[in-house]
Coordinates of all heavy atoms in Angstrom, one line a residue:
M1 N 0.9 -1.2 0.0 CA 0.0 0.0 0.0 C 0.9 1.2 0.0 O 1.8 1.4 0.8 CB -0.9 0.0 1.2 CG -1.8 1.2 1.3 SD -2.9 1.2 2.8 CE -3.8 -0.3 2.7
G2 N 0.6 2.2 -0.9 CA 1.4 3.4 -1.0 C 1.1 4.4 0.1 O 0.1 4.2 0.8
D3 N 1.9 5.4 0.2 CA 1.7 6.4 1.2 C 0.4 7.1 1.0 O -0.4 7.4 1.9 CB 2.8 7.5 1.2 CG 4.1 6.9 1.7 OD1 4.1 5.9 2.4 OD2 5.2 7.5 1.4
R4 N 0.0 7.4 -0.3 CA -1.2 8.1 -0.6 C -2.4 7.2 -0.2 O -3.4 7.7 0.4 CB -1.2 8.4 -2.1 CG -2.4 9.3 -2.5 CD -2.3 9.6 -3.9 NE -3.4 10.5 -4.3 CZ -3.3 11.5 -5.1 NH1 -2.2 11.9 -5.6 NH2 -4.4 12.2 -5.4
D5 N -2.4 5.9 -0.5 CA -3.4 5.0 -0.1 C -3.6 4.9 1.4 O -4.7 4.9 1.9 CB -3.2 3.6 -0.7 CG -3.3 3.6 -2.2 OD1 -4.0 4.5 -2.8 OD2 -2.7 2.7 -2.8
R6 N -2.5 4.9 2.1 CA -2.5 4.8 3.6 C -3.1 6.0 4.2 O -4.0 5.9 5.1 CB -1.1 4.5 4.1 CG -1.1 4.4 5.6 CD 0.2 4.0 6.2 NE 1.3 4.9 5.8 CZ 2.4 4.6 5.1 NH1 2.6 3.3 4.8 NH2 3.3 5.5 4.8
L7 N -2.7 7.2 3.6 CA -3.3 8.4 4.1 C -4.8 8.5 3.8 O -5.6 8.9 4.7 CB -2.6 9.6 3.5 CG -2.9 11.0 4.0 CD1 -2.6 11.1 5.5 CD2 -2.1 12.0 3.3
H8 N -5.2 8.1 2.7 CA -6.6 8.1 2.3 C -7.4 7.2 3.3 O -8.5 7.5 3.7 CB -6.8 7.6 0.9 CG -8.3 7.5 0.5 ND1 -9.1 8.6 0.2 CD2 -9.0 6.4 0.3 CE1 -10.3 8.2 0.0 NE2 -10.3 6.9 0.0
E9 N -6.9 6.0 3.6 CA -7.5 5.1 4.5 C -7.6 5.7 5.9 O -8.6 5.5 6.5 CB -6.7 3.7 4.5 CG -7.3 2.7 5.4 CD -8.7 2.2 5.1 OE1 -9.0 2.2 3.8 OE2 -9.5 1.9 6.0
M10 N -6.6 6.3 6.3 CA -6.6 7.0 7.7 C -7.6 8.1 7.7 O -8.3 8.2 8.7 CB -5.2 7.5 8.0 CG -4.2 6.4 8.3 SD -2.6 7.1 8.8 CE -3.0 7.7 10.4
R11 N -7.8 8.8 6.6 CA -8.8 9.9 6.6 C -10.2 9.3 6.6 O -11.1 9.9 7.3 CB -8.6 10.7 5.3 CG -7.3 11.6 5.3 CD -7.3 12.7 4.3 NE -6.0 13.2 4.1 CZ -5.4 14.0 4.9 NH1 -6.0 14.3 6.1 NH2 -4.2 14.5 4.7
Q12 N -10.4 8.2 6.0 CA -11.7 7.5 6.0 C -12.0 7.0 7.4 O -13.1 7.1 7.9 CB -11.7 6.4 5.0 CG -13.1 5.7 4.8 CD -14.1 6.7 4.3 OE1 -13.9 7.4 3.4 NE2 -15.3 6.7 5.0
Q13 N -11.0 6.4 8.0 CA -11.2 6.0 9.4 C -11.5 7.1 10.3 O -12.4 7.0 11.2 CB -9.9 5.3 9.9 CG -9.6 3.9 9.3 CD -8.3 3.4 9.7 OE1 -7.6 3.9 10.6 NE2 -8.0 2.2 9.2
A14 N -10.8 8.3 10.2 CA -11.1 9.4 11.0 C -12.5 9.9 10.7 O -13.2 10.3 11.7 CB -10.1 10.5 10.7
H15 N -12.9 9.9 9.5 CA -14.3 10.4 9.2 C -15.3 9.4 9.9 O -16.3 9.9 10.5 CB -14.5 10.4 7.7 CG -15.9 10.7 7.3 ND1 -16.4 12.0 7.3 CD2 -16.9 9.9 6.8 CE1 -17.7 12.0 6.9 NE2 -18.0 10.8 6.6
N16 N -15.1 8.1 9.8 CA -15.9 7.1 10.4 C -16.0 7.3 11.9 O -17.0 7.0 12.6 CB -15.5 5.7 10.0 CG -15.8 5.4 8.5 OD1 -16.5 6.1 7.9 ND2 -15.1 4.4 8.0
A17 N -14.9 7.8 12.5 CA -14.8 7.9 13.9 C -15.4 9.2 14.4 O -15.5 9.5 15.6 CB -13.3 7.9 14.4
G18 N -15.8 10.1 13.4 CA -16.5 11.3 13.8 C -15.6 12.5 13.8 O -15.9 13.6 14.2
I19 N -14.3 12.4 13.3 CA -13.4 13.5 13.3 C -13.6 14.2 11.9 O -13.1 13.8 10.9 CB -11.9 12.9 13.4 CG1 -11.7 12.2 14.7 CG2 -10.9 14.1 13.3 CD1 -10.4 11.4 14.8
E20 N -14.4 15.3 12.0 CA -14.7 16.0 10.8 C -13.6 17.0 10.4 O -12.9 17.4 11.3 CB -16.0 16.7 11.0 CG -17.2 15.8 11.3 CD -17.5 14.9 10.1 OE1 -17.3 15.2 9.0 OE2 -18.0 13.8 10.4
G21 N -13.5 17.3 9.1 CA -12.6 18.3 8.7 C -11.1 17.9 8.8 O -10.3 18.7 9.2
N22 N -10.8 16.6 8.5 CA -9.5 16.1 8.7 C -8.6 16.2 7.5 O -7.5 15.7 7.5 CB -9.6 14.6 9.2 CG -10.2 13.7 8.2 OD1 -9.8 13.7 7.0 ND2 -11.2 13.0 8.6
S23 N -9.0 16.9 6.4 CA -8.3 16.9 5.2 C -7.0 17.6 5.3 O -6.1 17.4 4.5 CB -9.1 17.5 4.1 OG -9.4 18.9 4.3
K24 N -6.8 18.5 6.3 CA -5.6 19.3 6.4 C -4.7 18.7 7.5 O -3.6 19.3 7.8 CB -5.9 20.8 6.7 CG -6.6 21.4 5.5 CD -6.8 22.9 5.7 CE -7.5 23.5 4.5 NZ -7.8 24.9 4.7
M25 N -5.1 17.6 8.1 CA -4.3 17.0 9.1 C -3.2 16.1 8.5 O -3.4 15.5 7.5 CB -5.1 16.2 10.1 CG -6.1 17.0 10.9 SD -7.3 16.0 11.8 CE -6.2 15.5 13.1
S26 N -2.0 16.1 9.1 CA -0.9 15.2 8.7 C -1.2 13.8 9.1 O -2.1 13.5 9.9 CB 0.4 15.7 9.2 OG 0.4 15.5 10.6
E27 N -0.4 12.9 8.6 CA -0.6 11.5 8.9 C -0.4 11.3 10.4 O -1.1 10.6 11.1 CB 0.4 10.6 8.1 CG 0.2 9.2 8.4 CD 1.2 8.3 7.5 OE1 1.8 8.8 6.6 OE2 1.3 7.1 7.8
S28 N 0.6 11.9 11.0 CA 0.9 11.8 12.4 C -0.2 12.4 13.3 O -0.6 11.8 14.3 CB 2.2 12.4 12.8 OG 2.2 13.7 12.6
Q29 N -0.8 13.5 12.8 CA -1.9 14.1 13.6 C -3.2 13.1 13.5 O -3.9 13.0 14.5 CB -2.3 15.4 13.0 CG -1.3 16.5 13.3 CD -1.5 17.8 12.5 OE1 -2.1 17.8 11.4 NE2 -1.1 18.9 13.1
L30 N -3.4 12.6 12.3 CA -4.5 11.6 12.2 C -4.3 10.4 13.1 O -5.3 10.0 13.7 CB -4.6 11.2 10.7 CG -5.2 12.2 9.7 CD1 -5.0 11.7 8.3 CD2 -6.7 12.3 10.0
R31 N -3.1 9.9 13.1 CA -2.8 8.7 13.9 C -3.1 9.0 15.4 O -3.7 8.3 16.1 CB -1.4 8.3 13.7 CG -1.0 7.0 14.4 CD 0.4 6.5 14.1 NE 0.5 6.2 12.7 CZ 1.3 6.9 11.8 NH1 2.0 7.9 12.2 NH2 1.4 6.5 10.5
D32 N -2.6 10.2 15.8 CA -2.8 10.6 17.2 C -4.3 10.8 17.5 O -4.8 10.3 18.6 CB -2.1 11.9 17.5 CG -2.0 12.3 18.9 OD1 -2.1 11.4 19.8 OD2 -2.0 13.6 19.2
A33 N -5.0 11.5 16.6 CA -6.5 11.7 16.9 C -7.2 10.4 16.9 O -8.1 10.2 17.8 CB -7.0 12.6 15.8
L34 N -6.9 9.5 16.0 CA -7.6 8.2 16.0 C -7.3 7.4 17.3 O -8.2 6.7 17.9 CB -7.2 7.3 14.8 CG -7.8 7.8 13.5 CD1 -7.1 7.1 12.3 CD2 -9.3 7.5 13.5
R35 N -6.0 7.5 17.8 CA -5.7 6.8 19.0 C -6.4 7.4 20.2 O -7.0 6.7 21.1 CB -4.1 7.0 19.3 CG -3.6 6.3 20.5 CD -2.2 6.6 20.7 NE -1.8 8.0 20.7 CZ -1.9 8.8 21.7 NH1 -2.4 8.4 22.8 NH2 -1.6 10.1 21.6
R36 N -6.6 8.7 20.2 CA -7.3 9.4 21.3 C -8.8 9.0 21.3 O -9.4 8.8 22.4 CB -7.2 10.9 21.2 CG -5.8 11.4 21.5 CD -5.7 12.9 21.2 NE -4.4 13.4 21.4 CZ -3.9 13.9 22.6 NH1 -4.8 13.9 23.6 NH2 -2.7 14.4 22.7
V37 N -9.4 8.9 20.1 CA -10.8 8.5 20.0 C -10.9 7.1 20.5 O -11.9 6.7 21.2 CB -11.3 8.7 18.6 CG1 -12.7 8.1 18.4 CG2 -11.4 10.2 18.3
G38 N -10.0 6.3 20.1 CA -10.0 4.9 20.6 C -10.0 4.7 22.1 O -10.4 3.7 22.6
K39 N -9.4 5.7 22.7 CA -9.3 5.7 24.2 C -10.5 6.3 24.9 O -10.5 6.5 26.1 CB -8.0 6.3 24.7 CG -6.7 5.5 24.3 CD -5.5 6.2 24.9 CE -4.3 5.4 24.7 NZ -3.1 6.0 25.3
G40 N -11.4 6.8 24.1 CA -12.7 7.3 24.6 C -12.8 8.9 24.6 O -13.8 9.4 25.1
E41 N -11.8 9.5 24.0 CA -11.9 11.0 23.9 C -12.9 11.4 22.8 O -13.1 10.7 21.8 CB -10.5 11.6 23.6 CG -10.4 13.1 23.8 CD -9.0 13.5 23.7 OE1 -8.1 12.8 24.1 OE2 -8.8 14.7 23.2
K42 N -13.6 12.5 23.0 CA -14.6 12.9 22.0 C -13.8 13.3 20.8 O -12.7 13.9 20.8 CB -15.4 14.1 22.6 CG -16.3 13.8 23.7 CD -17.1 14.9 24.1 CE -18.0 14.5 25.3 NZ -18.9 15.6 25.7
P43 N -14.4 13.1 19.6 CA -13.7 13.3 18.3 C -13.2 14.7 18.2 O -12.1 15.0 17.7 CB -14.8 13.0 17.3 CG -15.7 12.0 17.9 CD -15.7 12.4 19.4
E44 N -14.0 15.7 18.5 CA -13.6 17.1 18.3 C -12.4 17.5 19.2 O -11.5 18.1 18.8 CB -14.8 18.1 18.6 CG -14.5 19.5 18.2 CD -14.1 19.7 16.7 OE1 -14.7 19.0 15.9 OE2 -13.3 20.5 16.4
M45 N -12.4 17.0 20.5 CA -11.3 17.2 21.4 C -10.1 16.5 20.9 O -9.0 17.0 21.0 CB -11.7 16.8 22.8 CG -12.7 17.7 23.5 SD -12.2 19.4 23.6 CE -10.7 19.3 24.6
A46 N -10.3 15.3 20.4 CA -9.1 14.5 19.9 C -8.5 15.2 18.7 O -7.2 15.3 18.6 CB -9.6 13.1 19.4
K47 N -9.3 15.8 17.8 CA -8.8 16.6 16.7 C -8.0 17.8 17.2 O -6.8 18.0 16.7 CB -9.9 17.0 15.8 CG -9.5 17.8 14.6 CD -10.7 18.3 13.8 CE -10.3 19.3 12.8 NZ -11.4 19.8 12.1
Q48 N -8.5 18.5 18.1 CA -7.9 19.7 18.6 C -6.6 19.4 19.3 O -5.5 20.0 19.1 CB -8.8 20.5 19.6 CG -9.9 21.2 18.9 CD -10.9 21.9 19.9 OE1 -10.6 21.8 21.1 NE2 -11.9 22.5 19.4
N49 N -6.6 18.4 20.2 CA -5.4 18.0 20.9 C -4.3 17.4 19.9 O -3.1 17.6 20.2 CB -5.7 16.9 22.0 CG -6.5 17.6 23.1 OD1 -6.3 18.7 23.4 ND2 -7.3 16.8 23.7
A50 N -4.7 16.7 18.9 CA -3.7 16.2 17.9 C -3.1 17.3 17.1 O -1.9 17.1 16.7 CB -4.4 15.2 17.0
R51 N -3.8 18.3 16.9 CA -3.2 19.4 16.0 C -2.3 20.3 16.8 O -1.7 21.2 16.2 CB -4.4 20.2 15.4 CG -5.2 19.3 14.4 CD -6.2 20.1 13.7 NE -5.5 20.7 12.5 CZ -6.1 21.4 11.6 NH1 -7.4 21.6 11.7 NH2 -5.5 21.9 10.6
R52 N -2.2 20.2 18.1 CA -1.3 21.0 18.9 C 0.1 20.7 18.7 O 0.6 19.6 18.4 CB -1.6 21.0 20.4 CG -3.0 21.6 20.6 CD -3.2 21.5 22.1 NE -4.6 22.0 22.3 CZ -5.2 22.1 23.5 NH1 -4.6 21.6 24.5 NH2 -6.4 22.6 23.6

């Protein structure tokens, strides 16, 4: 799987997890936000905390 495909898949996972507006997030930010949501954090807070 190429980098572009992996990033697309992560964006889809983020969308499914409720993290809206993730198109400008980097791969590491997406990974962090998805991890935070997986631990029970609200999607919007996970997004904000990952982008810091």
Side-chain angles (χ1 to χ4, degrees):
M1 181 182 300
D3 290 339
R4 188 175 179 140
D5 291 335
R6 182 174 53 240
L7 188 57
H8 176 73
E9 179 64 28
M10 287 181 73
R11 291 195 194 290
Q12 186 63 46
Q13 288 175 3
H15 177 75
N16 292 343
I19 302 169
E20 299 297 328
N22 64 53
S23 64
K24 294 183 180 176
M25 294 175 73
S26 69
E27 184 177 348
S28 62
Q29 289 172 330
L30 284 167
R31 187 176 294 114
D32 187 32
L34 286 167
R35 181 182 52 80
R36 289 172 183 272
V37 169
K39 289 185 175 182
E41 193 169 326
K42 292 183 180 180
E44 190 59 35
M45 290 301 297
K47 178 183 171 184
Q48 288 177 1
N49 289 331
R51 293 186 86 178
R52 291 183 184 177

